Amino acid sequence: MKTRYVSCLLGGFAALCLTACEDHRLSPNASFPDRIEFIAQRQYPEGIAYSAQLDRFIITSLTQGKIGTVDINGNYADLITPPELIAGVGVKVADGRIFVCNGDQGVSSKSSPATTRRTAELLVFNINSRQLERRTDLDDLLPGVNHFANDLAIQPDGTVYVTDSFAPVIYRVTSSGQASILVNDPRFASATFGLNGIVYHSNGYLIVANTGAGKLYKVDLQNNNAISEVGGLPSLPGDGLTLLNGDLYVVTGSGSRVAQVRSTDNWQTASIVKFDTDGYSQATTNVVVNARVFTLNARIGEISAAMGNPALLQSNNYSIMKFR
Protein backbone atom coordinates (compact mmCIF):
# COMPACT_ATOMS: atom_id res chain seq x y z
CA MET A 1 0.00 0.00 0.00
CA LYS A 2 1.35 3.42 -0.94
CA THR A 3 0.19 6.75 0.41
CA ARG A 4 1.55 9.74 -1.46
CA TYR A 5 1.54 13.29 -0.18
CA VAL A 6 2.40 16.51 -2.01
CA SER A 7 4.08 19.65 -0.75
CA CYS A 8 0.90 21.74 -0.49
CA LEU A 9 -0.26 19.97 2.69
CA LEU A 10 0.57 22.96 4.94
CA GLY A 11 -0.28 20.86 7.95
CA GLY A 12 -3.89 20.70 6.90
CA PHE A 13 -4.45 17.07 7.77
CA ALA A 14 -3.96 17.80 11.45
CA ALA A 15 -7.46 19.22 11.42
CA LEU A 16 -8.84 15.88 10.32
CA CYS A 17 -7.50 14.29 13.48
CA LEU A 18 -9.92 16.44 15.47
CA THR A 19 -13.09 16.33 13.45
CA ALA A 20 -14.27 15.76 9.90
CA CYS A 21 -17.56 17.56 9.47
CA GLU A 22 -19.13 16.92 6.11
CA ASP A 23 -19.82 20.21 4.38
CA HIS A 24 -23.26 19.49 2.99
CA ARG A 25 -25.91 19.91 5.65
CA LEU A 26 -26.50 23.64 5.26
CA SER A 27 -26.45 26.09 2.39
CA PRO A 28 -26.72 29.86 2.02
CA ASN A 29 -29.69 29.23 -0.26
CA ALA A 30 -33.03 29.08 1.52
CA SER A 31 -34.65 26.75 -0.97
CA PHE A 32 -33.71 24.51 -3.86
CA PRO A 33 -35.92 23.57 -6.82
CA ASP A 34 -37.41 20.08 -6.93
CA ARG A 35 -35.41 19.30 -10.07
CA ILE A 36 -32.18 20.78 -11.41
CA GLU A 37 -31.39 20.06 -15.04
CA PHE A 38 -27.81 20.56 -16.21
CA ILE A 39 -25.68 19.99 -19.28
CA ALA A 40 -22.15 18.59 -18.98
CA GLN A 41 -20.37 17.14 -21.98
CA ARG A 42 -20.09 13.34 -21.60
CA GLN A 43 -19.83 13.76 -17.82
CA TYR A 44 -21.52 10.53 -16.61
CA PRO A 45 -21.35 11.79 -13.00
CA GLU A 46 -21.50 8.79 -10.68
CA GLY A 47 -20.95 10.66 -7.39
CA ILE A 48 -22.53 13.75 -5.82
CA ALA A 49 -21.70 15.84 -2.76
CA TYR A 50 -22.36 19.43 -1.74
CA SER A 51 -20.07 22.25 -0.68
CA ALA A 52 -21.59 25.10 1.31
CA GLN A 53 -18.25 26.86 0.89
CA LEU A 54 -18.69 26.89 -2.89
CA ASP A 55 -22.50 26.93 -2.72
CA ARG A 56 -22.47 24.20 -5.36
CA PHE A 57 -23.11 20.51 -5.82
CA ILE A 58 -19.90 18.58 -6.48
CA ILE A 59 -20.07 15.81 -9.09
CA THR A 60 -17.58 13.32 -10.47
CA SER A 61 -17.09 11.82 -13.94
CA LEU A 62 -16.69 8.16 -14.89
CA THR A 63 -15.65 8.97 -18.44
CA GLN A 64 -13.24 11.86 -18.00
CA GLY A 65 -11.75 11.56 -14.53
CA LYS A 66 -12.60 15.07 -13.40
CA ILE A 67 -14.65 16.88 -10.76
CA GLY A 68 -17.21 19.56 -11.55
CA THR A 69 -19.80 21.77 -9.89
CA VAL A 70 -23.50 22.41 -10.49
CA ASP A 71 -25.37 25.37 -9.01
CA ILE A 72 -29.10 25.48 -8.23
CA ASN A 73 -29.77 27.07 -11.62
CA GLY A 74 -28.20 24.14 -13.44
CA ASN A 75 -24.95 25.81 -14.44
CA TYR A 76 -22.11 23.28 -14.73
CA ALA A 77 -18.39 24.12 -14.51
CA ASP A 78 -15.21 22.05 -14.30
CA LEU A 79 -13.59 22.36 -10.87
CA ILE A 80 -10.60 20.00 -10.89
CA THR A 81 -9.17 18.03 -13.83
CA PRO A 82 -6.41 16.01 -12.17
CA PRO A 83 -4.28 13.59 -14.22
CA GLU A 84 -4.30 11.10 -11.31
CA LEU A 85 -8.09 10.66 -11.39
CA ILE A 86 -9.00 7.96 -13.92
CA ALA A 87 -12.71 7.73 -13.14
CA GLY A 88 -14.28 9.67 -10.30
CA VAL A 89 -16.81 7.58 -8.41
CA GLY A 90 -18.07 8.32 -4.86
CA VAL A 91 -17.28 11.77 -3.46
CA LYS A 92 -17.58 13.60 -0.13
CA VAL A 93 -16.69 17.13 0.99
CA ALA A 94 -15.36 17.67 4.52
CA ASP A 95 -13.14 20.25 6.25
CA GLY A 96 -12.33 22.13 3.07
CA ARG A 97 -11.37 19.00 1.15
CA ILE A 98 -12.86 16.82 -1.54
CA PHE A 99 -12.51 13.08 -0.97
CA VAL A 100 -13.06 11.00 -4.10
CA CYS A 101 -12.86 7.30 -4.97
CA ASN A 102 -10.72 6.52 -8.00
CA GLY A 103 -11.74 3.43 -9.96
CA ASP A 104 -11.75 2.24 -13.56
CA GLN A 105 -14.44 0.28 -15.40
CA GLY A 106 -12.66 0.73 -18.71
CA VAL A 107 -14.83 3.59 -20.03
CA SER A 108 -12.67 6.58 -19.14
CA SER A 109 -10.51 8.48 -21.60
CA LYS A 110 -7.71 7.67 -19.13
CA SER A 111 -8.42 3.92 -18.94
CA SER A 112 -5.66 1.48 -19.78
CA PRO A 113 -5.22 -2.31 -19.60
CA ALA A 114 -3.12 -1.82 -16.47
CA THR A 115 -5.85 0.11 -14.61
CA THR A 116 -9.14 -1.31 -15.91
CA ARG A 117 -10.81 -3.36 -13.13
CA ARG A 118 -7.56 -3.01 -11.18
CA THR A 119 -7.93 0.39 -9.51
CA ALA A 120 -8.97 1.29 -5.98
CA GLU A 121 -7.61 4.57 -4.65
CA LEU A 122 -8.66 7.42 -2.36
CA LEU A 123 -7.70 10.90 -3.56
CA VAL A 124 -7.99 14.04 -1.42
CA PHE A 125 -8.00 17.54 -2.90
CA ASN A 126 -7.86 20.94 -1.21
CA ILE A 127 -11.03 22.77 -2.20
CA ASN A 128 -9.35 26.21 -2.16
CA SER A 129 -6.12 25.44 -4.02
CA ARG A 130 -7.69 22.64 -6.13
CA GLN A 131 -4.46 20.72 -5.50
CA LEU A 132 -4.03 17.03 -4.69
CA GLU A 133 -3.03 16.60 -1.04
CA ARG A 134 -3.05 12.84 -0.65
CA ARG A 135 -3.30 9.76 -2.84
CA THR A 136 -3.71 6.37 -1.15
CA ASP A 137 -3.52 3.12 -3.11
CA LEU A 138 -5.94 0.55 -1.75
CA ASP A 139 -5.76 -2.22 -4.34
CA ASP A 140 -2.24 -3.07 -3.14
CA LEU A 141 -3.78 -4.38 0.08
CA LEU A 142 -5.39 -7.32 -1.76
CA PRO A 143 -3.31 -8.19 -4.83
CA GLY A 144 -4.27 -10.59 -7.59
CA VAL A 145 -8.00 -9.79 -7.76
CA ASN A 146 -10.18 -7.23 -9.53
CA HIS A 147 -10.83 -3.87 -7.89
CA PHE A 148 -13.13 -0.88 -8.23
CA ALA A 149 -13.25 1.74 -5.46
CA ASN A 150 -16.88 2.84 -5.34
CA ASP A 151 -18.11 4.86 -2.38
CA LEU A 152 -16.85 6.30 0.90
CA ALA A 153 -18.04 7.35 4.34
CA ILE A 154 -16.22 9.66 6.74
CA GLN A 155 -16.16 9.18 10.51
CA PRO A 156 -16.01 12.31 12.73
CA ASP A 157 -12.37 11.60 13.66
CA GLY A 158 -11.39 11.74 9.99
CA THR A 159 -11.30 8.01 9.31
CA VAL A 160 -12.54 7.16 5.82
CA TYR A 161 -14.19 3.86 4.83
CA VAL A 162 -14.17 2.83 1.17
CA THR A 163 -16.13 0.08 -0.58
CA ASP A 164 -14.77 -2.09 -3.40
CA SER A 165 -17.36 -3.39 -5.88
CA PHE A 166 -15.16 -6.10 -7.39
CA ALA A 167 -13.51 -7.38 -4.19
CA PRO A 168 -15.45 -8.30 -1.00
CA VAL A 169 -13.68 -5.75 1.19
CA ILE A 170 -14.16 -2.44 2.96
CA TYR A 171 -10.99 -0.39 3.37
CA ARG A 172 -10.14 1.83 6.31
CA VAL A 173 -7.98 4.93 5.85
CA THR A 174 -6.99 6.87 8.95
CA SER A 175 -6.85 10.65 9.09
CA SER A 176 -3.05 10.37 8.68
CA GLY A 177 -3.43 8.30 5.52
CA GLN A 178 -2.68 4.81 6.83
CA ALA A 179 -4.74 2.24 4.93
CA SER A 180 -5.85 -1.27 5.86
CA ILE A 181 -8.60 -3.75 5.11
CA LEU A 182 -11.35 -3.29 7.67
CA VAL A 183 -13.27 -6.44 6.66
CA ASN A 184 -12.93 -9.10 3.95
CA ASP A 185 -16.04 -11.27 3.88
CA PRO A 186 -17.66 -13.61 1.32
CA ARG A 187 -21.06 -12.04 2.06
CA PHE A 188 -19.77 -8.96 0.26
CA ALA A 189 -18.93 -10.85 -2.93
CA SER A 190 -21.02 -10.78 -6.09
CA ALA A 191 -20.80 -12.32 -9.53
CA THR A 192 -21.83 -8.94 -10.94
CA PHE A 193 -21.47 -5.78 -8.83
CA GLY A 194 -20.92 -6.15 -5.10
CA LEU A 195 -20.36 -3.50 -2.44
CA ASN A 196 -21.66 -0.08 -3.34
CA GLY A 197 -23.03 2.70 -1.12
CA ILE A 198 -21.83 3.14 2.45
CA VAL A 199 -22.73 5.42 5.38
CA TYR A 200 -21.34 5.94 8.87
CA HIS A 201 -23.90 5.92 11.70
CA SER A 202 -23.21 8.02 14.81
CA ASN A 203 -23.88 4.97 17.02
CA GLY A 204 -20.60 3.52 15.83
CA TYR A 205 -21.31 1.32 12.84
CA LEU A 206 -21.42 1.30 9.07
CA ILE A 207 -24.35 0.41 6.81
CA VAL A 208 -23.36 -0.85 3.37
CA ALA A 209 -25.22 -2.06 0.28
CA ASN A 210 -24.36 -5.18 -1.71
CA THR A 211 -26.01 -4.43 -5.04
CA GLY A 212 -25.74 -7.91 -6.54
CA ALA A 213 -27.11 -9.60 -3.43
CA GLY A 214 -29.88 -7.02 -2.95
CA LYS A 215 -29.01 -6.71 0.75
CA LEU A 216 -27.96 -4.16 3.35
CA TYR A 217 -25.34 -5.05 5.94
CA LYS A 218 -24.32 -3.52 9.24
CA VAL A 219 -20.64 -3.48 10.26
CA ASP A 220 -20.33 -2.85 14.00
CA LEU A 221 -17.12 -0.88 14.54
CA GLN A 222 -17.52 -1.16 18.32
CA ASN A 223 -17.88 -4.96 18.27
CA ASN A 224 -14.80 -6.20 16.44
CA ASN A 225 -16.32 -5.12 13.09
CA ALA A 226 -19.03 -7.78 13.36
CA ILE A 227 -21.09 -8.08 10.17
CA SER A 228 -24.83 -8.72 10.19
CA GLU A 229 -27.48 -8.52 7.50
CA VAL A 230 -30.18 -5.93 8.10
CA GLY A 231 -33.26 -8.13 8.40
CA GLY A 232 -36.90 -7.56 7.53
CA LEU A 233 -36.33 -6.12 4.07
CA PRO A 234 -37.28 -7.44 0.65
CA SER A 235 -34.58 -7.63 -2.00
CA LEU A 236 -33.21 -4.10 -2.23
CA PRO A 237 -30.36 -3.80 -4.75
CA GLY A 238 -28.93 -0.57 -3.40
CA ASP A 239 -26.61 1.94 -5.01
CA GLY A 240 -26.02 5.18 -3.08
CA LEU A 241 -27.00 5.49 0.58
CA THR A 242 -27.70 8.62 2.65
CA LEU A 243 -28.84 9.05 6.26
CA LEU A 244 -31.24 11.81 7.28
CA ASN A 245 -33.00 12.07 10.67
CA GLY A 246 -32.29 8.40 11.34
CA ASP A 247 -33.76 7.13 8.06
CA LEU A 248 -31.72 5.64 5.25
CA TYR A 249 -32.38 6.75 1.68
CA VAL A 250 -31.42 4.06 -0.82
CA VAL A 251 -31.16 4.53 -4.59
CA THR A 252 -32.53 1.28 -6.00
CA GLY A 253 -34.51 -0.27 -8.86
CA SER A 254 -31.62 0.24 -11.31
CA GLY A 255 -31.78 3.92 -10.47
CA SER A 256 -35.52 4.27 -11.06
CA ARG A 257 -36.54 5.08 -7.48
CA VAL A 258 -35.36 6.00 -3.99
CA ALA A 259 -36.46 4.01 -0.93
CA GLN A 260 -36.86 5.61 2.49
CA VAL A 261 -35.88 2.88 4.96
CA ARG A 262 -36.38 3.02 8.74
CA SER A 263 -35.15 0.96 11.67
CA THR A 264 -36.39 0.96 15.27
CA ASP A 265 -33.82 -1.49 16.65
CA ASN A 266 -30.45 0.04 15.74
CA TRP A 267 -30.48 -1.51 12.26
CA GLN A 268 -30.84 -5.10 13.27
CA THR A 269 -33.98 -4.99 11.13
CA ALA A 270 -35.64 -2.33 9.00
CA SER A 271 -38.68 -1.63 6.86
CA ILE A 272 -39.46 0.50 3.83
CA VAL A 273 -41.43 3.64 4.68
CA LYS A 274 -42.05 4.71 1.08
CA PHE A 275 -40.66 4.77 -2.44
CA ASP A 276 -40.26 7.99 -4.40
CA THR A 277 -40.47 7.09 -8.08
CA ASP A 278 -41.25 10.29 -9.97
CA GLY A 279 -38.42 11.79 -11.98
CA TYR A 280 -35.71 9.20 -11.39
CA SER A 281 -33.89 7.54 -14.27
CA GLN A 282 -30.56 5.72 -14.15
CA ALA A 283 -29.79 7.41 -10.82
CA THR A 284 -26.74 6.57 -8.72
CA THR A 285 -26.56 8.24 -5.34
CA ASN A 286 -27.77 11.11 -3.19
CA VAL A 287 -26.75 13.83 -0.75
CA VAL A 288 -28.46 15.82 2.01
CA VAL A 289 -28.68 19.61 1.71
CA ASN A 290 -30.91 21.82 3.89
CA ALA A 291 -32.49 18.71 5.46
CA ARG A 292 -33.61 17.40 2.09
CA VAL A 293 -32.34 14.49 0.01
CA PHE A 294 -31.13 15.16 -3.53
CA THR A 295 -30.45 12.34 -5.99
CA LEU A 296 -28.30 12.35 -9.10
CA ASN A 297 -29.74 11.08 -12.39
CA ALA A 298 -26.44 10.01 -13.95
CA ARG A 299 -27.34 7.79 -16.95
CA ILE A 300 -25.51 4.96 -15.22
CA GLY A 301 -27.25 2.32 -17.33
CA GLU A 302 -25.45 3.61 -20.39
CA ILE A 303 -22.13 2.84 -18.71
CA SER A 304 -23.01 -0.83 -18.39
CA ALA A 305 -24.32 -1.00 -21.94
CA ALA A 306 -21.16 0.56 -23.37
CA MET A 307 -18.59 -1.64 -21.63
CA GLY A 308 -15.69 -2.09 -24.02
CA ASN A 309 -16.86 0.72 -26.29
CA PRO A 310 -16.52 4.16 -24.64
CA ALA A 311 -17.36 5.84 -27.94
CA LEU A 312 -21.00 4.98 -27.27
CA LEU A 313 -21.04 7.31 -24.26
CA GLN A 314 -22.09 10.66 -25.69
CA SER A 315 -24.85 11.93 -23.35
CA ASN A 316 -24.74 15.50 -22.08
CA ASN A 317 -28.03 15.97 -20.18
CA TYR A 318 -28.36 15.09 -16.47
CA SER A 319 -30.44 16.14 -13.49
CA ILE A 320 -30.64 16.30 -9.69
CA MET A 321 -33.96 15.36 -8.04
CA LYS A 322 -35.36 16.28 -4.62
CA PHE A 323 -36.95 13.40 -2.67
CA ARG A 324 -40.68 14.05 -2.17
Side-chain angles (χ1 to χ4, degrees):
M1 185 280 299
K2 300 182 290 294
T3 299
R4 292 165 241 178
Y5 298 87
V6 296
S7 58
C8 65
L9 277 173
L10 300 176
F13 275 96
L16 288 179
C17 298
L18 299 176
T19 182
C21 299
E22 286 188 49
D23 183 16
H24 67 238
R25 297 288 163 173
L26 299 175
S27 163
N29 293 296
S31 62
F32 283 32
D34 287 348
R35 185 180 180 93
I36 301 170
E37 304 274 358
F38 66 96
I39 297 173
Q41 298 290 323
R42 298 186 64 251
Q43 186 80 14
Y44 291 93
E46 204 279 351
I48 186 169
Y50 188 83
S51 169
Q53 179 180 338
L54 298 178
D55 192 17
R56 299 286 190 276
F57 289 97
I58 304 291
I59 61 170
T60 57
S61 174
L62 289 173
T63 52
Q64 299 175 68
K66 63 181 180 179
I67 299 169
T69 65
V70 179
D71 67 18
I72 64 169
N73 297 311
N75 298 306
Y76 171 83
D78 286 347
L79 182 68
I80 308 173
T81 56
E84 302 88 354
L85 186 59
I86 301 170
V89 197
V91 63
K92 293 288 187 294
V93 176
D95 293 327
R97 292 170 177 83
I98 298 173
F99 296 72
V100 60
C101 292
N102 190 20
D104 188 3
Q105 291 175 277
V107 295
S108 172
S109 59
K110 303 176 189 177
S111 295
S112 70
T115 60
T116 298
R117 298 178 65 89
R118 291 288 189 271
T119 304
E121 294 183 328
L122 176 66
L123 306 186
V124 183
F125 298 91
N126 186 289
I127 206 166
N128 290 315
S129 69
R130 315 292 200 258
Q131 297 299 306
L132 177 69
E133 291 190 347
R134 189 176 75 194
R135 179 182 184 183
T136 302
D137 290 329
L138 302 171
D139 46 74
D140 287 354
L141 295 167
L142 190 64
V145 300
N146 289 339
H147 291 284
F148 181 73
N150 189 309
D151 199 13
L152 68 150
I154 304 177
Q155 193 171 301
D157 67 357
T159 302
V160 182
Y161 301 95
V162 179
T163 58
D164 193 321
S165 296
F166 296 159
V169 298
I170 299 174
Y171 306 103
R172 179 179 185 267
V173 183
T174 67
S175 59
S176 61
Q178 298 302 307
S180 61
I181 292 177
L182 178 77
V183 287
N184 181 343
D185 193 280
R187 286 171 287 185
F188 293 158
S190 172
T192 55
F193 212 77
L195 291 180
N196 206 321
I198 185 171
V199 293
Y200 172 78
H201 195 284
S202 59
N203 287 346
Y205 51 83
L206 305 170
I207 303 172
V208 62
N210 183 328
T211 304
K215 297 178 178 180
L216 297 177
Y217 289 94
K218 174 181 175 180
V219 181
D220 193 343
L221 303 173
Q222 298 180 330
N223 184 25
N224 199 32
N225 303 324
I227 301 168
S228 58
E229 181 184 342
V230 178
L233 292 169
S235 178
L236 193 67
D239 195 332
L241 308 179
T242 297
L243 280 168
L244 174 62
N245 298 328
D247 287 350
L248 185 69
Y249 292 78
V250 183
V251 179
T252 186
S254 298
S256 64
R257 56 186 179 171
V258 177
Q260 181 181 1
V261 182
R262 182 171 298 166
S263 175
T264 58
D265 57 8
N266 217 25
W267 293 95
Q268 296 180 63
T269 63
S271 60
I272 296 173
V273 177
K274 66 173 287 189
F275 285 106
D276 188 12
T277 59
D278 293 337
Y280 299 97
S281 176
Q282 302 184 59
T284 52
T285 192
N286 39 38
V287 65
V288 171
V289 189
N290 288 350
R292 299 298 298 268
V293 174
F294 292 86
T295 300
L296 177 64
N297 286 321
R299 297 185 177 270
I300 193 64
E302 295 179 24
I303 294 289
S304 300
M307 283 303 174
N309 191 358
L312 295 175
L313 299 171
Q314 298 295 329
S315 293
N316 304 321
N317 298 287
Y318 307 92
S319 62
I320 300 169
M321 278 293 304
K322 183 190 293 185
F323 185 92
R324 291 171 293 179

